[in-house]
Amino acid sequence: QVQLVESGGGLVAAGGSLRLSCAASGLTFSSYAMGWFRQAPGKEREFVAAITRSTGSTYYADSVKGRFTISRDNAKNTLYLQVNSLKPEDTAVYYCAAGKGHTSVRPRAYDYWGQGAQLTVSS
């Protein structure tokens, strides 16, 4: 079955950096558009970034543009999110998602989801 497993979350001081990873299995990774979403306590899940399946074109939420970088390694079936210049408001559970269709900012456009990785940014 399809599995998406996030890793790399943790506790980071404001201004710090880390890299989230999402290891995919059970699907032809290169055939899926991939996205990162996040959900803070009491808030709805929100779009963070997305990358197309073939050209590697990327899209970002305005709140993370210039600080976060999404990338993928189709040979390793892995999706990444490099997060820099972290702010306390970046604290959330970060989810990776795979979609058979085009990249989208809408969670409903994605078919498979990981279990999430907690990222906490201290002020």
Side-chain angles (χ1 to χ4, degrees), residues 73-94:
D73 186 335
N74 287 341
K76 294 183 178 180
N77 290 353
T78 303
L79 177 73
Y80 303 101
L81 185 68
Q82 177 68 40
V83 296
N84 300 326
S85 303
L86 283 164
K87 305 175 182 180
E89 51 264 43
D90 294 318
T91 295
V93 177
Y94 283 72

Side-chain angles (χ1 to χ4, degrees), residues 20-33:
L20 300 176
S21 299
C22 171
S25 61
L27 77 170
T28 303
F29 182 72
S30 59
S31 297
Y32 283 77

Side-chain angles (χ1 to χ4, degrees), residues 19-113:
R19 188 175 74 166
L20 300 176
S21 299
C22 171
S25 61
L27 77 170
T28 303
F29 182 72
S30 59
S31 297
Y32 283 77
M34 299 296 296
W36 286 99
F37 291 76
R38 67 186 182 186
Q39 188 166 17
K43 295 187 177 182
E44 292 187 353
R45 191 167 298 190
E46 66 172 358
F47 170 76
V48 174
I51 186 167
T52 59
R53 63 177 68 85
S54 57
T55 65
S57 297
T58 57
Y59 306 88
Y60 297 94
D62 288 343
S63 59
V64 306
K65 203 172 292 184
R67 300 188 298 121
F68 290 12
T69 302
I70 187 172
S71 62
R72 65 190 300 164
D73 186 335
N74 287 341
K76 294 183 178 180
N77 290 353
T78 303
L79 177 73
Y80 303 101
L81 185 68
Q82 177 68 40
V83 296
N84 300 326
S85 303
L86 283 164
K87 305 175 182 180
E89 51 264 43
D90 294 318
T91 295
V93 177
Y94 283 72
Y95 298 90
C96 68
K100 299 175 186 176
H102 297 292
T103 53
S104 174
V105 302
R106 299 181 299 115
R108 288 192 298 176
Y110 293 83
D111 302 288
Y112 304 105
W113 292 83

